[in-house]
Coordinates of all heavy atoms in Angstrom, one line a residue:
M1 N -155.4 55.3 -26.5 CA -155.7 53.8 -26.6 C -157.1 53.5 -26.3 O -157.8 54.1 -25.5 CB -154.9 53.2 -25.4 CG -153.6 52.6 -25.9 SD -152.8 51.6 -24.7 CE -152.5 52.7 -23.3
P2 N -157.7 52.6 -27.1 CA -159.1 52.3 -26.9 C -159.3 51.4 -25.7 O -158.4 50.7 -25.3 CB -159.4 51.5 -28.2 CG -158.1 51.0 -28.7 CD -157.1 51.9 -28.2
V3 N -160.5 51.4 -25.2 CA -160.9 50.6 -24.1 C -161.6 49.4 -24.6 O -162.6 49.5 -25.5 CB -161.8 51.3 -23.1 CG1 -162.3 50.4 -22.0 CG2 -161.1 52.5 -22.5
Y4 N -161.2 48.2 -24.2 CA -161.9 47.0 -24.7 C -162.6 46.4 -23.5 O -162.2 46.5 -22.4 CB -160.9 46.0 -25.3 CG -160.2 46.5 -26.5 CD1 -159.0 47.1 -26.5 CD2 -160.9 46.4 -27.7 CE1 -158.3 47.6 -27.6 CE2 -160.3 46.9 -28.9 CZ -159.0 47.5 -28.8 OH -158.4 47.9 -29.9
E5 N -163.7 45.7 -23.8 CA -164.4 45.0 -22.8 C -164.4 43.5 -23.1 O -164.5 43.0 -24.2 CB -165.9 45.4 -22.8 CG -166.1 46.8 -22.4 CD -167.6 47.2 -22.3 OE1 -168.4 46.5 -22.9 OE2 -167.9 48.2 -21.6
Y6 N -164.1 42.7 -22.0 CA -164.0 41.3 -22.1 C -165.0 40.7 -21.2 O -165.1 41.0 -20.0 CB -162.6 40.8 -21.7 CG -161.5 41.4 -22.6 CD1 -161.1 42.7 -22.3 CD2 -161.1 40.7 -23.7 CE1 -160.1 43.3 -23.1 CE2 -160.1 41.3 -24.5 CZ -159.6 42.6 -24.2 OH -158.7 43.1 -25.0
T7 N -165.8 39.8 -21.7 CA -166.8 39.1 -20.9 C -166.3 37.8 -20.4 O -165.8 37.0 -21.2 CB -168.1 38.8 -21.8 OG1 -168.5 40.1 -22.3 CG2 -169.2 38.3 -20.9
C8 N -166.4 37.5 -19.1 CA -165.9 36.3 -18.5 C -166.9 35.2 -18.8 O -168.1 35.4 -18.6 CB -165.7 36.5 -17.0 SG -165.2 35.0 -16.2
E9 N -166.4 34.1 -19.3 CA -167.3 33.0 -19.6 C -167.5 32.1 -18.4 O -168.4 31.2 -18.4 CB -166.7 32.1 -20.8 CG -166.7 33.0 -22.0 CD -166.1 32.3 -23.2 OE1 -165.7 31.1 -23.1 OE2 -166.0 33.0 -24.3
S10 N -166.8 32.4 -17.3 CA -167.1 31.6 -16.1 C -168.1 32.3 -15.2 O -169.1 31.7 -14.8 CB -165.8 31.5 -15.3 OG -164.9 30.7 -16.0
C11 N -168.0 33.6 -15.0 CA -168.9 34.3 -14.1 C -169.7 35.4 -14.8 O -170.6 35.9 -14.2 CB -168.1 34.9 -12.9 SG -167.1 36.3 -13.4
G12 N -169.4 35.7 -16.0 CA -170.2 36.6 -16.8 C -169.8 38.1 -16.5 O -170.5 39.0 -17.1
K13 N -168.9 38.3 -15.7 CA -168.5 39.7 -15.4 C -167.7 40.3 -16.6 O -167.0 39.6 -17.3 CB -167.6 39.8 -14.1 CG -168.5 40.0 -12.9 CD -167.8 40.9 -11.9 CE -167.9 42.3 -12.1 NZ -168.0 43.3 -11.2
V14 N -167.9 41.6 -16.7 CA -167.2 42.3 -17.8 C -165.9 43.0 -17.2 O -166.0 43.7 -16.2 CB -168.1 43.3 -18.5 CG1 -167.3 44.2 -19.5 CG2 -169.2 42.6 -19.2
T15 N -164.8 42.7 -17.8 CA -163.6 43.4 -17.4 C -163.2 44.4 -18.5 O -163.2 44.1 -19.7 CB -162.4 42.3 -17.3 OG1 -162.8 41.4 -16.3 CG2 -161.1 43.0 -16.9
E16 N -163.0 45.6 -18.1 CA -162.5 46.6 -19.0 C -161.0 46.7 -19.0 O -160.4 46.7 -17.9 CB -163.2 47.9 -18.7 CG -164.7 48.0 -19.0 CD -165.2 49.4 -18.7 OE1 -164.5 50.3 -18.3 OE2 -166.4 49.6 -19.0
A17 N -160.5 46.9 -20.1 CA -159.0 47.1 -20.2 C -158.6 48.1 -21.2 O -159.2 48.1 -22.3 CB -158.3 45.7 -20.4
L18 N -157.7 48.9 -20.9 CA -157.1 49.9 -21.8 C -155.9 49.2 -22.5 O -154.9 48.9 -21.8 CB -156.7 51.1 -21.0 CG -156.5 52.4 -21.7 CD1 -157.8 52.9 -22.3 CD2 -156.0 53.4 -20.7
R19 N -156.1 48.9 -23.7 CA -155.0 48.1 -24.4 C -154.7 48.6 -25.7 O -155.5 49.3 -26.4 CB -155.5 46.6 -24.5 CG -156.1 46.0 -23.3 CD -156.4 44.6 -23.5 NE -155.3 43.8 -23.2 CZ -155.3 42.4 -23.4 NH1 -156.3 41.8 -23.9 NH2 -154.2 41.7 -23.0
R20 N -153.5 48.2 -26.1 CA -153.1 48.6 -27.5 C -153.9 47.7 -28.5 O -154.3 46.6 -28.1 CB -151.6 48.3 -27.7 CG -150.7 49.3 -27.0 CD -149.3 49.0 -27.2 NE -149.0 47.6 -26.8 CZ -147.9 46.9 -27.2 NH1 -147.0 47.5 -27.9 NH2 -147.7 45.7 -26.7
I21 N -154.2 48.2 -29.7 CA -155.0 47.5 -30.7 C -154.3 46.1 -30.9 O -155.0 45.1 -31.1 CB -155.1 48.3 -31.9 CG1 -156.0 49.5 -31.6 CG2 -155.7 47.5 -33.1 CD1 -156.0 50.6 -32.8
A22 N -153.0 46.1 -30.9 CA -152.3 44.9 -31.2 C -152.5 43.8 -30.1 O -152.4 42.6 -30.4 CB -150.8 45.1 -31.3
D23 N -152.9 44.3 -28.9 CA -153.1 43.3 -27.8 C -154.6 43.0 -27.6 O -155.0 42.3 -26.7 CB -152.6 43.9 -26.5 CG -151.1 44.1 -26.6 OD1 -150.4 43.3 -27.3 OD2 -150.5 44.9 -25.8
A24 N -155.5 43.6 -28.5 CA -156.9 43.5 -28.2 C -157.4 42.1 -28.1 O -158.3 41.8 -27.3 CB -157.7 44.3 -29.3
D25 N -156.9 41.2 -28.9 CA -157.4 39.8 -28.9 C -156.6 38.9 -28.0 O -156.9 37.7 -27.9 CB -157.4 39.3 -30.3 CG -158.5 39.9 -31.2 OD1 -159.6 40.1 -30.6 OD2 -158.3 40.3 -32.3
A26 N -155.6 39.5 -27.3 CA -154.8 38.6 -26.4 C -155.7 38.3 -25.2 O -156.5 39.1 -24.8 CB -153.6 39.4 -26.0
P27 N -155.6 37.2 -24.6 CA -156.4 36.8 -23.5 C -156.1 37.7 -22.3 O -155.0 38.2 -22.1 CB -156.0 35.3 -23.2 CG -154.8 35.1 -23.9 CD -154.7 36.1 -25.0
I28 N -157.1 37.9 -21.4 CA -156.9 38.7 -20.3 C -157.7 38.0 -19.1 O -158.7 37.3 -19.4 CB -157.5 40.1 -20.5 CG1 -157.1 41.0 -19.3 CG2 -159.0 40.1 -20.7 CD1 -157.4 42.5 -19.6
A29 N -157.2 38.1 -17.9 CA -157.8 37.4 -16.8 C -159.0 38.2 -16.3 O -158.9 39.5 -16.2 CB -156.8 37.3 -15.7
C30 N -160.0 37.5 -15.9 CA -161.2 38.2 -15.4 C -160.8 38.8 -14.0 O -160.2 38.2 -13.2 CB -162.3 37.1 -15.2 SG -163.7 37.7 -14.2
E31 N -161.2 40.0 -13.8 CA -160.8 40.7 -12.6 C -161.7 40.3 -11.4 O -161.3 40.5 -10.3 CB -160.9 42.2 -12.7 CG -162.2 42.8 -13.0 CD -162.2 44.3 -13.2 OE1 -161.1 44.9 -13.4 OE2 -163.3 44.9 -13.3
A32 N -162.8 39.6 -11.7 CA -163.7 39.1 -10.6 C -163.3 37.8 -10.1 O -163.2 37.5 -8.9 CB -165.1 39.1 -11.1
C33 N -163.0 36.8 -11.0 CA -162.8 35.4 -10.6 C -161.4 34.9 -11.0 O -161.0 33.9 -10.6 CB -163.9 34.5 -11.1 SG -163.8 34.2 -12.9
G34 N -160.7 35.7 -11.8 CA -159.3 35.3 -12.2 C -159.3 34.3 -13.4 O -158.2 34.0 -13.8
S35 N -160.4 33.9 -13.9 CA -160.4 33.0 -15.0 C -159.9 33.7 -16.3 O -160.1 34.9 -16.5 CB -161.9 32.6 -15.3 OG -161.9 31.9 -16.5
D36 N -159.2 32.9 -17.1 CA -158.7 33.6 -18.3 C -159.6 33.2 -19.5 O -159.3 33.4 -20.6 CB -157.3 33.2 -18.6 CG -157.0 31.7 -18.7 OD1 -158.0 30.9 -18.6 OD2 -155.9 31.3 -18.9
Q37 N -160.8 32.6 -19.2 CA -161.7 32.3 -20.2 C -162.6 33.5 -20.5 O -163.8 33.6 -20.1 CB -162.6 31.1 -19.8 CG -161.8 29.8 -19.5 CD -161.1 29.3 -20.8 OE1 -161.8 29.2 -21.8 NE2 -159.8 29.2 -20.7
T38 N -162.0 34.5 -21.1 CA -162.7 35.7 -21.4 C -162.8 35.9 -22.9 O -161.9 35.5 -23.7 CB -162.0 36.9 -20.8 OG1 -160.7 36.9 -21.1 CG2 -162.2 36.9 -19.3
S39 N -163.8 36.5 -23.4 CA -163.9 36.8 -24.8 C -164.2 38.3 -25.0 O -164.9 38.9 -24.2 CB -165.0 36.0 -25.5 OG -166.2 36.3 -24.9
R40 N -163.6 38.9 -26.0 CA -163.8 40.3 -26.2 C -165.2 40.7 -26.6 O -165.7 40.1 -27.6 CB -162.7 40.8 -27.3 CG -162.7 42.3 -27.4 CD -161.4 42.8 -27.9 NE -161.0 42.3 -29.3 CZ -161.3 43.0 -30.4 NH1 -161.9 44.1 -30.3 NH2 -161.0 42.5 -31.5
A41 N -165.8 41.6 -26.0 CA -167.1 42.1 -26.4 C -167.0 43.0 -27.6 O -166.0 43.5 -27.9 CB -167.7 42.8 -25.2
H42 N -168.1 43.1 -28.3 CA -168.1 43.9 -29.5 C -168.1 45.4 -29.2 O -167.7 46.1 -30.1 CB -169.3 43.5 -30.4 CG -169.1 42.1 -31.0 ND1 -168.1 41.9 -32.0 CD2 -169.7 41.0 -30.9 CE1 -168.1 40.7 -32.4 NE2 -169.1 40.0 -31.7
S43 N -168.7 45.7 -28.1 CA -168.8 47.2 -27.9 C -167.5 47.8 -27.4 O -167.1 47.7 -26.3 CB -169.8 47.4 -26.8 OG -169.5 46.7 -25.6
V44 N -166.8 48.3 -28.4 CA -165.5 48.9 -28.2 C -165.7 50.4 -28.1 O -166.3 51.0 -28.9 CB -164.5 48.6 -29.3 CG1 -163.2 49.3 -29.1 CG2 -164.3 47.1 -29.4
V45 N -165.2 50.9 -27.0 CA -165.3 52.4 -26.8 C -164.1 53.0 -27.3 O -163.0 53.1 -26.7 CB -165.5 52.7 -25.3 CG1 -165.7 54.2 -25.1 CG2 -166.7 52.0 -24.7
A46 N -164.2 53.4 -28.6 CA -163.0 53.9 -29.2 C -163.1 55.5 -29.2 O -164.1 56.1 -28.9 CB -162.9 53.4 -30.7
V47 N -162.0 56.1 -29.6 CA -162.0 57.5 -29.7 C -162.9 57.9 -30.9 O -162.8 57.3 -32.0 CB -160.5 58.0 -30.0 CG1 -160.5 59.5 -30.1 CG2 -159.6 57.6 -28.8
S48 N -163.7 58.8 -30.7 CA -164.7 59.2 -31.7 C -164.0 59.7 -33.0 O -163.0 60.4 -32.9 CB -165.6 60.3 -31.2 OG -166.3 60.9 -32.2
S49 N -164.5 59.4 -34.1 CA -163.9 59.9 -35.3 C -164.4 61.3 -35.7 O -164.0 61.8 -36.7 CB -164.2 58.9 -36.5 OG -165.6 58.7 -36.6
G50 N -165.3 61.8 -34.9 CA -165.7 63.2 -35.0 C -167.0 63.5 -35.6 O -167.6 64.5 -35.2
K51 N -167.6 62.7 -36.4 CA -168.8 63.1 -37.1 C -170.1 63.0 -36.2 O -170.8 63.9 -36.1 CB -169.0 62.4 -38.4 CG -168.2 62.9 -39.5 CD -168.7 62.4 -40.8 CE -167.8 63.0 -42.0 NZ -168.2 62.3 -43.3
G52 N -170.3 61.8 -35.7 CA -171.5 61.6 -34.9 C -172.7 61.6 -35.7 O -173.8 61.9 -35.2
E53 N -172.7 61.3 -37.0 CA -173.9 61.3 -37.8 C -174.7 60.1 -37.7 O -175.8 60.1 -38.2 CB -173.5 61.6 -39.2 CG -172.9 63.0 -39.4 CD -173.0 63.5 -40.8 OE1 -173.1 62.7 -41.7 OE2 -172.9 64.7 -40.9
S54 N -174.2 59.1 -37.0 CA -175.0 57.9 -36.8 C -175.9 58.0 -35.6 O -176.6 57.1 -35.3 CB -174.1 56.7 -36.6 OG -173.2 56.8 -35.5
F55 N -175.9 59.1 -35.0 CA -176.8 59.4 -33.9 C -178.3 59.3 -34.3 O -178.7 59.9 -35.2 CB -176.6 60.7 -33.3 CG -177.5 61.1 -32.1 CD1 -177.3 60.5 -30.9 CD2 -178.5 61.9 -32.3 CE1 -178.1 60.8 -29.8 CE2 -179.4 62.2 -31.2 CZ -179.2 61.6 -30.0
E56 N -179.0 58.4 -33.6 CA -180.4 58.2 -33.9 C -181.3 59.1 -33.0 O -181.1 59.0 -31.8 CB -180.7 56.7 -33.7 CG -181.8 56.2 -34.6 CD -182.0 54.7 -34.4 OE1 -181.0 54.0 -34.6 OE2 -183.1 54.3 -34.1
P57 N -182.1 59.9 -33.6 CA -183.0 60.7 -32.8 C -183.9 59.8 -31.9 O -184.4 58.8 -32.4 CB -183.8 61.5 -33.7 CG -183.7 60.8 -35.0 CD -182.4 60.0 -35.0
P58 N -184.2 60.2 -30.7 CA -185.0 59.4 -29.8 C -186.4 59.4 -30.3 O -186.9 60.3 -30.9 CB -184.9 60.1 -28.4 CG -184.5 61.5 -28.8 CD -183.7 61.4 -30.0
P59 N -187.2 58.3 -30.0 CA -188.6 58.3 -30.4 C -189.4 59.3 -29.6 O -189.0 59.7 -28.6 CB -189.0 56.8 -30.1 CG -188.1 56.4 -29.0 CD -186.8 57.1 -29.3
G60 N -190.5 59.7 -30.2 CA -191.3 60.7 -29.5 C -191.2 62.0 -30.1 O -190.7 62.2 -31.2
C61 N -191.7 63.0 -29.4 CA -191.7 64.4 -29.9 C -190.4 65.0 -29.9 O -189.6 64.9 -29.0 CB -192.6 65.2 -29.0 SG -192.6 66.9 -29.5
G62 N -190.0 65.5 -31.1 CA -188.7 66.1 -31.3 C -188.6 67.4 -30.6 O -187.5 68.0 -30.5
R63 N -189.7 68.0 -30.2 CA -189.6 69.4 -29.6 C -189.5 69.3 -28.1 O -188.7 70.0 -27.5 CB -190.8 70.2 -30.0 CG -190.9 70.4 -31.5 CD -192.0 71.3 -31.9 NE -192.2 71.3 -33.3 CZ -192.7 72.4 -34.0 NH1 -193.1 73.4 -33.3 NH2 -192.8 72.3 -35.3
C64 N -190.5 68.6 -27.5 CA -190.5 68.6 -26.0 C -190.0 67.4 -25.4 O -189.8 67.3 -24.2 CB -192.0 68.9 -25.6 SG -193.0 67.5 -25.9
G65 N -189.7 66.3 -26.3 CA -189.1 65.1 -25.7 C -190.2 64.2 -25.1 O -189.8 63.2 -24.5
D66 N -191.4 64.5 -25.3 CA -192.5 63.6 -24.8 C -192.4 62.2 -25.4 O -192.5 62.1 -26.7 CB -193.9 64.2 -25.1 CG -195.0 63.5 -24.4 OD1 -194.9 62.3 -24.2 OD2 -196.0 64.2 -24.0
P67 N -192.2 61.2 -24.6 CA -192.0 59.8 -25.2 C -193.3 59.3 -25.9 O -193.2 58.3 -26.6 CB -191.6 59.0 -24.0 CG -192.1 59.7 -22.8 CD -192.1 61.2 -23.2
R68 N -194.4 59.9 -25.6 CA -195.6 59.4 -26.2 C -195.8 59.8 -27.6 O -196.6 59.3 -28.4 CB -196.8 59.9 -25.4 CG -196.9 59.3 -24.0 CD -198.0 60.0 -23.2 NE -197.6 61.3 -23.0 CZ -198.3 62.2 -22.2 NH1 -199.4 61.8 -21.7 NH2 -197.9 63.4 -22.1
G69 N -195.0 60.8 -28.1 CA -195.1 61.2 -29.4 C -195.2 62.7 -29.6 O -194.9 63.4 -28.6
A70 N -195.7 63.1 -30.7 CA -195.8 64.6 -31.0 C -196.7 65.3 -30.0 O -197.7 64.7 -29.6 CB -196.3 64.8 -32.4
C71 N -196.2 66.4 -29.5 CA -197.0 67.1 -28.5 C -198.0 68.1 -29.1 O -198.8 68.6 -28.4 CB -196.1 67.9 -27.6 SG -195.2 69.2 -28.4
G72 N -198.0 68.2 -30.4 CA -199.0 69.0 -31.0 C -198.6 70.5 -31.1 O -199.4 71.3 -31.6
M73 N -197.5 70.8 -30.6 CA -197.0 72.2 -30.6 C -196.6 72.6 -32.1 O -196.0 71.9 -32.8 CB -195.9 72.5 -29.7 CG -196.3 72.5 -28.2 SD -194.9 72.6 -27.2 CE -194.3 74.2 -27.5
Ligands
ZN101 ZN1 -165.0 35.8 -14.1

């Protein structure tokens, strides 16, 4: 089951819930203030489909990881 995040429109806290896809858009109460004025966040932590090819390499040197850029090696 995927984990969904819901942002509370009253207090701004994020409530995480493990829900069935069919229930993803159903309202859920904020765990901080109890408000049901929550909206589902876009960042859904779903089960990986396996490829991971959308991984973006970090900026900077690809060899030593220096954030300033190429290390010249
Ligand atoms: Zn709240």
Side-chain angles (χ1 to χ4, degrees):
M1 262 191 298
V3 174
Y4 295 98
E5 291 185 341
Y6 300 83
T7 305
C8 176
E9 292 177 5
S10 295
C11 72
K13 271 218 79 148
V14 173
T15 298
E16 288 186 358
L18 199 62
R19 311 185 88 184
R20 290 180 301 164
I21 290 170
D23 294 335
D25 287 319
I28 188 170
C30 170
E31 65 183 10
C33 72
S35 169
D36 58 5
Q37 298 299 305
T38 53
S39 58
R40 186 153 65 92
H42 286 293
S43 56
V44 174
V45 183
V47 179
S48 170
S49 57
K51 280 196 179 172
E53 295 203 336
S54 59
F55 178 76
E56 208 175 304
C61 177
R63 295 183 189 210
C64 69
D66 190 327
R68 290 169 298 181
C71 64
M73 284 172 69

